[in-house]
Every structure is written in structure tokens, then in C-alpha cells.
Amino acid sequence: MMDLAALKIDIDGVAIEENPQLVQQKSRDFYWYSPVLKRRLEGVTAAIVARPKDEEELLLVIGACFRNDVPLTVRGSGTGNYGQAMPLAGGLVLDLSGMNRVKAVKAGTVVAEPGAILAEIDAAVRPSGQELRMFPSTYHTASIGGFIGGGSGGVGSIRWGGLRDAGNVVRVRMAAMDGSIPTVLDLTGPDIHRVSHAYGTTGVITEVEMPLAPAVDWVDAIVSFPTLEAAVRHGETLAGADGLLLKNVAVMDAAIAPFLKRHESYLAEGEAFVVLIAAAFAMTDVVALATRAGGRIMMRSDRLDEAERHRLPPAFELAWNHTTLRALRVDPSITYLQVLYPQPDIAGKVLTMAQLLGDEAPTHLEFVRFDGAVGCFGLPLVRYTSEERLDAIVKLHEDHGCPIFNPHRYTLEEGGMKQTDALQLAFKKRSDPKGLLNPGKMIAWDQPDFDYGRPYLFPSLSA
Amino acid sequence: MMDLAALKIDIDGVAIEENPQLVQQKSRDFYWYSPVLKRRLEGVTAAIVARPKDEEELLLVIGACFRNDVPLTVRGSGTGNYGQAMPLAGGLVLDLSGMNRVKAVKAGTVVAEPGAILAEIDAAVRPSGQELRMFPSTYHTASIGGFIGGGSGGVGSIRWGGLRDAGNVVRVRMAAMDGSIPTVLDLTGPDIHRVSHAYGTTGVITEVEMPLAPAVDWVDAIVSFPTLEAAVRHGETLAGADGLLLKNVAVMDAAIAPFLKRHESYLAEGEAFVVLIAAAFAMTDVVALATRAGGRIMMRSDRLDEAERHRLPPAFELAWNHTTLRALRVDPSITYLQVLYPQPDIAGKVLTMAQLLGDEAPTHLEFVRFDGAVGCFGLPLVRYTSEERLDAIVKLHEDHGCPIFNPHRYTLEEGGMKQTDALQLAFKKRSDPKGLLNPGKMIAWDQPDFDYGRPYLFPSLSA
């Protein structure tokens, strides 16, 4: 039985928070992107938040949770939007924002504590001429540990692929929930998958080593196209241009323009557009390719006056889930989906779905490298009416060969490929024998024979 | 009519060479890789070599050739092996080895004269933490202008694609052969294709700006596999690993090992092997992937003692055409082909050809990025018996869906896709109206209705 009183004695000296309002704040992430999760997870809260300042304190907290049977849910900055960091079983939220140091900058890699903010890591490595390979659009607030534990890729994935790809995480140091004195392991190579994108269900990341790319002068640009098809095909062309140093390529339907208020003077009414980030020295080629494809350059940040450049948010804050965020701010009824448009004929699949759904789900694409080829994720905005209709839209995609990573589910499996990650499950049996780490997020642990025909409901939650 | 006497007066002050033996040396490239070209081009020689020291002298020479109707064939270091730099119509060889300065190192690019040696460019940019994106295996001797004019890619193409891909050449400054005072143009974007891989038939490159990649600590490694199939599939896996920072991945049949004398202690008898170059910080992942695929790490340069590391040639000098060169040194009857194994089922095509040809053509593959996906070039060694048999082997590849870039032909078209490059042809009409630039290399110019069923023979050459 969970013994919170004993826990508090055991972790004496570590900063904690028990004020219910503040604890609830720290028990929430960006789950409200989803009206479904918003309803399901609204009441979720921990009993206590602990904020260790270093690995020693962190191990003390984990050991105390083990000893006193207290569920532990790890939190970086809480910018995930699958409810990853929400403590379904209550207990303790482990807030890692106090462990935010950049510990070493090397030639090619950086070593940091899990709570280090992505933008701050970049600031620390910049003097060495380096930068992170990839980051989510929440670059200015997200933590590196949270990105590895709950993210998958983002800005930069057009060159480097996703976090899951070999080489994109060099080393992860983690603590297991396996005793009063937790085991600490340094994972490299494929062993990293034991904790990456596991929502903290298999261990707590205490340190990471990430590969770096050269720091480049990046230019933000917007290219407008008369049709969605032309924009999609141009996005695919850019994604396949091996010699073009790009950091991001997003394609948006004309219907998305009204949500990007601060860029409205650079968006043509009724036109689809591509938002891209390219190396300054690649801009000649970017402009030439765009023009050939029938596009018009509406904005390039290297040609703006300084005041205007400072007024505009960076292009990556128009992309990935920031597109959704901007739409939500204008129209709270909007949500989104996460789609994979597989090869071959990416453009054909995108256009089919766009035609089937029309203005109910305006197209938003992010091009990436996926298994050594051009990959395309969709994050269509969805004008939400009901959970039933949302499920029907999910099914429509699946019926047309486009898998959905459903952001309206809080479990690893339902937000992913709907199958057990055998590696993570096997590891969890050793690293978390009591099942205290982020309970309710790994269906394979709670209910190995679960039927994915209906949504999973953790026992403590109502439908 | 060509007037050499008048030419010499016109270019007075420019360094020239007329000694027939030295002129013949400078009239040859690595054409002897091919027994066919060796026989056909043996007698080729210019009348005079001019070696300008700067652009002003270079323009003087071009203008004088125009005025006096002297054919001009441009030469970098003469390391091409398609006979690119051989003056079929005699006349003047323009030796650019005197124009070898690195003029500016910027953030992301380098500006150099065309005769600058690739390794020397890298040495010049290294203090800025940068290096060239790609180079041929003749890195230590080849010039940047020759690489752009006569090459296509090489070491580094596994990340960046080929020279033809947008972004891999930033700017080319060129002189046309269009008057006594030649027109000079700065080409950017797709216009660069007017002179890139044109063998100097459309203009003379006078300056280039090339994009740079970050300088990384590279490790050479050899991985051994029990079967050719396992090695090929591992090569393909590596090529598709978007997050792994690799510089080259070559796959070789067991039959190639005896030619790599200095590495013999790292090659297992009867085993196929992968020769790779990876970032030092990626080696953990490289080893993990290799082990999973059933490979054994036979050598990694970061684990060698210093004396041994200096004794061994770099891995890139085992790859691309250096593989052929090493084989030729041991067995002069060996030559090679250049094959494209297209998607899908690269491995299937490779293994089919290996089975059909057996020891007559041991497999040598170089993996690259090609149009945004994994690409695979073959440079199989060929135990040469006759031109007829060689042609039959070419046909066998083509019949199995594997195009050949035939290195036993000296024309652009026959060494490429056997079709007119309309862009280059149209440009040549303006840039070289008299047809003086490297005559005999562009069939579309000499004989627009040529039937590709038989080899092209420039009129001055015998079959």
C-alpha cells in the first residue's frame, strides 16, 4: 500500500510541493490539445511533487517511492500532448526541471541533465559551432529528457530522421525503479530503445548525450502555391533533395492561413503554402526550385528588416504542433490528428484524404526522412464535433492506407502502432517490477490481452 | 583553320609546353582503366599545353583559341577515367593546375580556383571546423574543377547525394568560347548544370563556390560477413540509417580481398566485407548494428596503434575507383563497370547479377543517397577477355534492369544515360559556337541523329 507519510520522511531535504493547486498544475501537460483527453484526464492529479536538484536526490526519491509503493510519474516541462506526463494513479510527480545543467560540450555531442531546455542546450553548444540535430516546435520550453521520453522527432527530422533512428541519441543514463537503492545504467546503441519514447514507464532518465550538427545560419521562408497539389509535390521535391541543407519543410492548406495571424501579410488568400527553414547558402537553390514548381516566395527572413524579423515568430513555431496551437487559440473547437502517409505515392494519399475530408480537416504536412527515404507526417487540423466523428475520421485514414498515431489516447500503444513493444515490456519486468512508473500508460503491462477495438481505460479513470 | 603560330603570339607571356613527350603526358588522364579506351585513345595528343596562372591569363588563352580556331580541352589533374580530358582533335590542352588558390572560406561555403586540389581545400577550411561534403577517391590529387566538370559524386554521397543534386555546388564562374574577349558568367541554381559534368564542352570553369559540411572525427572500419548477401543487406541498412553520420559505405565480395594487400590482416578469407567511414561518436551504433546483422568488426581505425594507423591507406582509398586501381595493380587484365541498381529490391538485383557473373565480375558496391532514397552503384571488377564479352556483360546488366554508365566510352552520352542533355546542347550553341571546346565528347553536337546501337567514333580516331 502506498505510504505517502513514510515517503516524505524518506525524501527529507528534497524540494517538494503539496499545495493541491500547484500539484495539479504540475500534474498536467498539453493534454488539452485533445478534447477527448481533456474530458478523460481533467481530474488527474498527483499527491505530491518532488523536484530533485541532482542525481543523488533523484535516486533518493526513486528509492523512497519503491520502498513505500508510491507511483512515480516523471515530468520534464510538460509540453507533451498525449497526456504522457499525467499521473493516472496519483502518487508522486517527479519534476526534473531542477536538473537542467549542460554538463559537457564535445566535438559532435553534448551531455546534459534531463531537465535541460532544448533552446538552452543550443545556446550552450553554439560557441563550439554546433547545434542540436532536431527539436520539437516547443524548443523554447521543452526539456531534452522529455523529448527523448515522450517525443519522436520534429524540426531537423527532414535531414536526420527521428529520435528512434540509430545515432540520434548517443547515450542515456537511467535509473530503474527496482529497489531502495535504484540500479543506474548507461544505455547505448539499440538498448536506448528501452527508455526512449516509453513515457517514463521503464526508468527515469538522469543524463543524456545527444549528437550535434553544425550550427548553420538558417533562413525561414514561405512559398505560396496556387493549388494544394502543387504545394504538396513541392514539399516532396524538397524532402528528396539530398544536397539541399534544410531544417524543416511544412506544407499547409489555404484554410490554415487565417490561424497564422502574425504572418498574414505573407500569405496569399486561398493559396496553399510551404513553410521551410533552409541554410542561408542554400537559398539560391531553394528559390530556383520553388520558382520552377510554380511557387512564389512570399517571405524570406534574410530579406526582412530587423524590426520585422524580431516581430515574427520563427518558422518552426508555425510548424509541427505549433500549427495546432495557433489554430486552437483562434478557434477552441479545433483539434488534430497525426497521420503517416506511407510511400509510395505520398502525394496521392494526401490529396485523396484532403478531398474526402475537405474543410473539416485542412491539410498540414511535415516532411521527414523515414527509413532512408522521404517520409511524410500529417497533422491535419480537425474541426471537432464529437468523439464518434473523430473516430470515424481516424478509421477513414486507416481504410485508405494511412496509419494514425492517435493523439487522443494516453497509452503508448494506442498513440503508436497499437502493438506491444516487446523490448520495453521485457525490460520493465526488471526495471520496474512493482509497476510504479507512470501507471496506466503501457497497456501491455496492465492488460497483455487487450483488444484494440475499443479505447483503453485505466481503472482509476471513468470513460 | 587552326593557326597555332598565331595562337602562340597571342598568348605570349602565358606558360606553355611544347615538348611532345610532356604534351602527351598532359594529354592523358586515367583512360587506361579501360582496355577499350586504352586502345582507342592511345595516340591522342595535343599540340601545345598552356598553363595560365590566373583568370586574366585564362581568358587570354580562350580568346586566342577562339580567334585562331584552336580546339581547347581543359584539364584539372587528369584523374578522370572516361578520357574526359583527352584532346581528340589535338590543339591546346588548358592545364588549370596553376590556378589552385583557395580564395575565401565562409560559414558554409568555400570559394576556390578550379585547379585547387580537394585535399588542399579541406586543409584550408579545416581551421573553421568545416570540410568538403564529398570527394572522389582521388582526393589527394584531383582538382575541384575537374570533379565538377567530369565527376559525379563519391565519398560523402551517402549523406549528400551527388554533385548533380541541388545545393551540392553553390556557384560556378565560367568563361565561354564565344569571342576574342570571352563572356564570363556566374552560374547558380539549376544553371550550374550547363557546365557541371559537361567535360568542359560548354565552357571553362574559372572559379567555384562549394558548400561545406562540419569537420568531424571520422573512423574507418571494416566489417566481415559470412555471405555476400549479408554484407549487401547490411550496406543497405546503413545507407537507410538517417541518424547515423556516415561518410562512405562500400560493400565488397570476398574475391576483392586479395587486391587490398595492405589491409589483408583485417580481411577474413572467403568472406564478403563492408568498408565504412563513420563519425567517431556514431561508432557505438555502427558496432551494434553490425553485430546484430551477423558481422564481425575486423578493423576500426580509432583502435589501431599510431604506427599501424599511419601504415594503412585511408578507407576512401579502398573505395570507389581506388578499388579498381588496387585490383589493376595486382592484375592488369582487370577492368570494371559502373552499374546503377535501382530501387526497389536493390539487394535482389545485386545478388542476381553476382550469381550470373560469378568470379568474372566480383561485386563492389557503393551506397549513396539518390533522389531522396537509398541508392546503390556497382563498380564490379571485370576480368577482361574481349570487347565483345565486355559488351555482353553490359547488355546482361541492362537486360536485368540495371543501367550501365559505361566507362569504356569517351562521350558524355555513352558514359551516361545515352540521351542528349538538351540544356547543355542548347547552351553550347551560344557558349561555343565554333565547337572548339573538347571536340568529340558530345555526340549531340557532332551527330544529333546518332544511333546508340554502336559505339560513337570521333572522326579523328580509328576503331
Side-chain angles (χ1 to χ4, degrees):
Chain A
M1 276 300 295
M2 159 155 66
D3 186 343
L4 275 170
L7 172 94
K8 284 204 281 184
I9 293 166
D10 284 350
I11 65 173
D12 185 42
V14 177
I16 60 167
E17 181 57 65
E18 293 185 279
N19 174 316
Q21 263 187 307
L22 297 176
V23 171
Q24 182 162 59
Q25 267 179 28
K26 294 284 184 192
S27 299
R28 289 178 165 175
D29 57 19
F30 286 4
Y31 75 114
W32 43 264
Y33 271 58
S34 160
V36 178
L37 295 184
K38 196 171 175 181
R39 187 166 60 77
R40 289 241 170 84
L41 303 182
E42 204 152 33
V44 167
T45 188
I48 186 170
V49 176
R51 188 169 181 269
K53 67 174 192 300
D54 55 27
E55 188 178 284
E56 196 183 327
E57 286 195 358
L58 179 146
L59 295 177
L60 186 70
V61 174
I62 296 174
C65 284
F66 181 84
R67 196 155 46 238
N68 301 297
D69 296 321
V70 178
L72 181 155
T73 299
V74 69
R75 173 191 182 83
S77 303
T79 57
N81 54 276
Y82 282 69
Q84 293 103 315
M86 295 182 70
L88 305 189
L92 179 140
V93 160
L94 183 67
D95 173 4
L96 292 184
S97 64
M99 289 178 63
N100 62 352
R101 281 166 289 264
V102 175
K103 296 169 95 170
V105 180
K106 308 182 191 178
T109 67
V110 59
V111 180
E113 290 184 330
I117 303 301
L118 297 165
E120 286 167 13
I121 295 173
D122 258 1
V125 305
R126 185 67 45 127
S128 70
Q130 303 181 96
E131 63 181 35
L132 287 167
R133 285 181 173 182
M134 66 186 74
F135 52 77
S137 64
T138 47
Y139 177 65
H140 287 297
T141 48
S143 70
I144 186 67
F147 185 38
I148 294 172
S152 54
V155 180
S157 289
I158 193 157
R159 175 143 292 265
W160 296 101
L163 279 172
R164 74 187 175 102
D165 292 317
N168 281 332
V169 180
V170 173
R171 182 175 57 84
V172 172
R173 186 170 166 85
M174 58 148 279
M177 175 65 85
D178 63 345
S180 297
I181 299 173
T183 303
V184 175
L185 294 170
D186 274 295
L187 305 176
T188 59
D191 289 344
I192 290 171
H193 292 137
R194 293 172 178 180
V195 291
S196 63
H197 205 268
Y199 295 181
T201 58
T202 57
V204 176
I205 296 171
T206 71
E207 183 180 287
V208 304
E209 183 166 0
M210 297 296 282
L212 297 171
V216 164
D217 276 341
W218 298 107
V219 172
D220 293 347
I222 296 176
V223 189
S224 192
F225 288 89
T227 65
L228 178 63
E229 175 164 1
V232 174
R233 296 203 182 278
H234 186 58
E236 199 170 356
T237 298
L238 289 176
D242 298 304
L244 218 52
L245 189 54
L246 300 171
K247 185 121 180 165
N248 207 60
V249 175
V251 175
M252 320 242 178
D253 185 80
I256 294 181
F259 303 126
L260 309 181
K261 295 267 181 219
R262 287 205 271 172
H263 284 80
E264 68 184 340
S265 60
Y266 305 110
L267 299 171
E269 169 114 27
E271 293 210 339
F273 53 103
V274 175
V275 179
L276 62 90
I277 307 174
F281 59 77
M283 282 305 292
T284 308
D285 290 291
V286 165
V287 171
L289 285 173
T291 308
R292 269 201 176 188
R296 288 183 297 146
I297 309 289
M298 305 296 286
M299 190 280 279
R300 46 186 289 187
S301 58
D302 58 342
R303 298 281 166 88
L304 299 177
D305 66 47
E306 187 142 338
E308 178 66 352
R309 197 159 51 233
H310 280 97
R311 189 188 67 83
L312 288 178
F316 67 79
E317 290 184 354
L318 302 183
W320 293 91
N321 249 325
H322 261 67
T323 316
T324 319
L325 182 62
R326 286 175 194 282
L328 258 170
R329 280 187 193 149
V330 176
D331 178 354
S333 78
I334 281 178
T335 188
Y336 83 116
L337 281 173
Q338 214 158 308
V339 188
L340 172 65
Y341 302 101
Q343 294 256 24
D345 193 18
I346 287 172
K349 293 189 179 90
V350 169
L351 296 166
T352 297
M353 295 316 299
Q355 200 152 38
L356 286 170
L357 289 163
D359 195 52
E360 189 180 7
T363 301
H364 163 203
L365 308 177
E366 296 287 348
F367 281 94
V368 299
R369 287 298 168 106
F370 193 80
D371 289 341
V374 172
C376 181
F377 287 113
L379 292 85
L381 299 183
V382 176
R383 301 188 199 272
Y384 182 75
T385 47
S386 72
E387 198 168 335
E388 291 65 40
R389 177 59 191 158
L390 189 62
D391 288 344
I393 295 174
V394 168
K395 188 161 182 312
L396 194 67
H397 280 90
E398 291 171 344
D399 289 348
H400 285 81
C402 303
I404 294 280
F405 300 86
N406 196 336
H408 307 283
R409 298 288 183 270
Y410 53 77
T411 61
L412 282 163
E413 291 92 340
E414 291 168 300
M417 296 303 283
K418 293 190 189 169
Q419 60 191 24
T420 300
D421 185 322
L423 187 98
Q424 290 185 347
L425 178 63
F427 183 62
K428 186 174 171 72
K429 286 176 183 164
R430 293 193 284 134
S431 66
D432 180 26
K434 290 184 173 181
L436 293 171
L437 290 173
N438 206 357
K441 302 296 171 61
M442 189 190 282
I443 298 178
W445 176 268
D446 295 330
Q447 211 170 307
D449 55 352
F450 179 71
D451 157 21
Y452 287 96
R454 58 187 171 80
Y456 177 73
L457 262 190
F458 188 59
S460 76
L461 299 179
S462 66
Chain B
M1 277 300 294
M2 159 154 67
D3 186 344
L4 275 170
L7 174 93
K8 282 205 282 185
I9 294 168
D10 284 350
I11 66 173
D12 185 44
V14 178
I16 60 167
E17 180 58 64
E18 292 184 281
N19 174 318
Q21 262 186 308
L22 298 178
V23 171
Q24 183 162 60
Q25 267 178 28
K26 294 283 186 193
S27 300
R28 289 177 164 175
D29 58 18
F30 286 2
Y31 75 114
W32 43 263
Y33 270 57
S34 160
V36 178
L37 295 185
K38 197 170 175 179
R39 186 165 61 77
R40 290 241 170 86
L41 303 183
E42 205 152 32
V44 167
T45 188
I48 186 169
V49 176
R51 188 169 182 271
K53 67 174 193 299
D54 54 27
E55 190 179 282
E56 196 184 327
E57 285 194 358
L58 178 146
L59 295 177
L60 187 69
V61 174
I62 296 174
C65 284
F66 182 85
R67 197 157 42 239
N68 300 297
D69 296 321
V70 178
L72 181 156
T73 299
V74 68
R75 173 189 180 84
S77 304
T79 57
N81 54 277
Y82 282 71
Q84 293 103 313
M86 296 183 69
L88 306 189
L92 180 140
V93 160
L94 182 67
D95 173 4
L96 292 184
S97 64
M99 288 177 64
N100 63 351
R101 281 168 289 265
V102 175
K103 297 169 93 171
V105 179
K106 307 183 191 178
T109 68
V110 60
V111 179
E113 290 183 330
I117 303 301
L118 296 166
E120 287 168 13
I121 294 174
D122 259 359
V125 303
R126 185 66 46 129
S128 71
Q130 304 182 95
E131 63 182 34
L132 287 167
R133 285 181 175 181
M134 66 186 74
F135 53 77
S137 65
T138 47
Y139 177 65
H140 286 298
T141 48
S143 70
I144 186 68
F147 185 38
I148 294 171
S152 53
V155 180
S157 289
I158 195 160
R159 176 143 290 267
W160 296 101
L163 280 172
R164 73 184 177 105
D165 292 317
N168 282 332
V169 181
V170 173
R171 182 176 56 86
V172 172
R173 186 172 164 84
M174 59 148 278
M177 175 65 87
D178 63 345
S180 297
I181 300 173
T183 303
V184 176
L185 294 171
D186 275 296
L187 306 176
T188 58
D191 289 344
I192 290 171
H193 293 136
R194 295 173 176 177
V195 290
S196 64
H197 206 267
Y199 295 0
T201 59
T202 56
V204 176
I205 296 172
T206 70
E207 184 181 288
V208 305
E209 183 165 0
M210 297 296 281
L212 297 171
V216 164
D217 277 341
W218 297 107
V219 172
D220 293 347
I222 296 176
V223 189
S224 192
F225 288 89
T227 65
L228 178 63
E229 175 165 1
V232 173
R233 294 201 184 278
H234 187 58
E236 200 172 355
T237 298
L238 289 176
D242 298 302
L244 220 52
L245 189 54
L246 301 170
K247 185 121 179 164
N248 208 58
V249 175
V251 175
M252 319 243 179
D253 185 81
I256 293 180
F259 303 126
L260 310 181
K261 295 266 179 221
R262 288 205 271 172
H263 284 80
E264 70 184 339
S265 60
Y266 303 111
L267 299 172
E269 170 114 25
E271 293 210 340
F273 53 102
V274 176
V275 180
L276 62 90
I277 308 174
F281 59 78
M283 282 305 292
T284 309
D285 289 292
V286 165
V287 171
L289 285 173
T291 308
R292 271 201 175 186
R296 289 183 297 144
I297 309 290
M298 305 297 284
M299 188 279 278
R300 48 186 286 185
S301 58
D302 57 342
R303 297 283 166 87
L304 298 176
D305 67 46
E306 186 140 338
E308 178 67 351
R309 197 159 51 230
H310 280 97
R311 189 188 67 84
L312 287 178
F316 67 79
E317 289 183 355
L318 303 182
W320 292 92
N321 248 325
H322 262 67
T323 316
T324 318
L325 182 63
R326 287 176 192 282
L328 259 169
R329 280 188 193 147
V330 176
D331 178 353
S333 79
I334 281 179
T335 187
Y336 83 117
L337 281 174
Q338 215 159 309
V339 189
L340 172 66
Y341 301 102
Q343 296 255 26
D345 194 19
I346 286 172
K349 293 190 179 89
V350 168
L351 295 166
T352 298
M353 295 317 301
Q355 201 154 35
L356 286 170
L357 290 164
D359 195 53
E360 189 180 6
T363 301
H364 164 202
L365 309 177
E366 297 286 348
F367 280 94
V368 298
R369 285 300 168 107
F370 194 79
D371 288 342
V374 171
C376 181
F377 288 113
L379 293 84
L381 299 183
V382 176
R383 302 187 199 274
Y384 182 75
T385 48
S386 72
E387 201 169 332
E388 291 66 38
R389 178 59 191 157
L390 189 61
D391 288 344
I393 296 174
V394 168
K395 188 161 182 312
L396 194 67
H397 280 89
E398 291 171 342
D399 289 348
H400 284 81
C402 303
I404 294 279
F405 300 85
N406 197 334
H408 307 283
R409 299 287 182 271
Y410 52 77
T411 61
L412 283 163
E413 290 93 339
E414 292 168 300
M417 296 303 282
K418 293 190 189 169
Q419 59 190 26
T420 301
D421 185 322
L423 187 98
Q424 290 184 348
L425 178 62
F427 183 61
K428 186 174 171 75
K429 287 176 183 165
R430 292 194 285 134
S431 67
D432 180 26
K434 290 185 173 181
L436 293 171
L437 290 174
N438 206 356
K441 303 296 172 60
M442 190 192 281
I443 298 178
W445 176 268
D446 294 332
Q447 210 170 308
D449 54 351
F450 179 71
D451 156 23
Y452 287 97
R454 57 187 174 80
Y456 177 74
L457 263 191
F458 188 60
S460 75
L461 299 178
S462 66

